[in-house]
């Protein structure tokens, strides 16, 4: 399942779900658009993880939950706590981050 934030409530989702992986992106970001279908593909194969897409410009409180200084940034949370993040446009690097959360 992939949730696309329509309000700045990522903290609530992280607190409510066991495992969460977030793609921080922006509408103008070409690499974000390239990674989005790959992110959604991973969501389809990991039903135990909640996948969230957060616009880093529209949702500043959500952005504060990770160090987002380049896009796309992918952040992993488990049991309400930040675990790890990567700033990448490489599918293999994203898969490694997801596997870290999946093994929780």
């Amino acid at each position: 399942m992939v949730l696309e934030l329509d309000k700045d409530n990522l903290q609530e989702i992280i607190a409510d779900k066991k495992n969460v992986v977030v793609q921080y992106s922006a509408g103008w970001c070409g690499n974000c658009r390239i990674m989005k279908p790959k992110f959604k593909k991973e969501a389809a194969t990991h039903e135990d993880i909640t996948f969230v897409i957060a616009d880093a410009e529209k949702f500043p409180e959500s952005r504060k939950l990770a160090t987002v200084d380049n896009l796309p940034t992918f952040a992993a949370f488990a049991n309400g706590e930040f675990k790890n993040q990567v700033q990448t446009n490489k599918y293999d690097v994203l898969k490694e981050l997801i596997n870290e959360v999946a093994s929780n």
Side-chain angles (χ1 to χ4, degrees), residues 24-92:
Y24 290 97
S25 59
W28 52 263
C29 173
N31 283 331
C32 299
R33 288 192 298 271
I34 290 169
M35 292 301 289
K36 191 173 185 178
K38 297 170 184 174
F39 188 70
K40 288 182 174 183
K41 177 182 176 183
E42 286 299 307
T45 62
H46 293 281
E47 294 178 9
D48 56 329
I49 300 173
T50 301
F51 288 76
V52 180
I53 297 174
D55 188 309
E57 293 181 324
K58 291 182 184 174
F59 304 120
E61 292 305 311
S62 296
R63 183 182 176 129
K64 290 178 186 175
L65 300 174
T67 303
V68 181
D69 52 18
N70 202 355
L71 294 176
T73 294
F74 299 91
F77 301 86
N79 301 313
E81 299 291 322
F82 174 83
K83 293 298 175 193
N84 198 1
Q85 74 176 47
V86 293
Q87 297 174 344
T88 188
N89 62 357
K90 296 184 176 22
Y91 187 40
D92 290 344

Side-chain angles (χ1 to χ4, degrees), residues 88-104:
T88 188
N89 62 357
K90 296 184 176 22
Y91 187 40
D92 290 344
V93 176
L94 171 60
K95 286 174 67 169
E96 286 177 25
L97 179 70
I98 293 167
N99 288 335
E100 280 182 44
V101 175
S103 65
N104 251 352

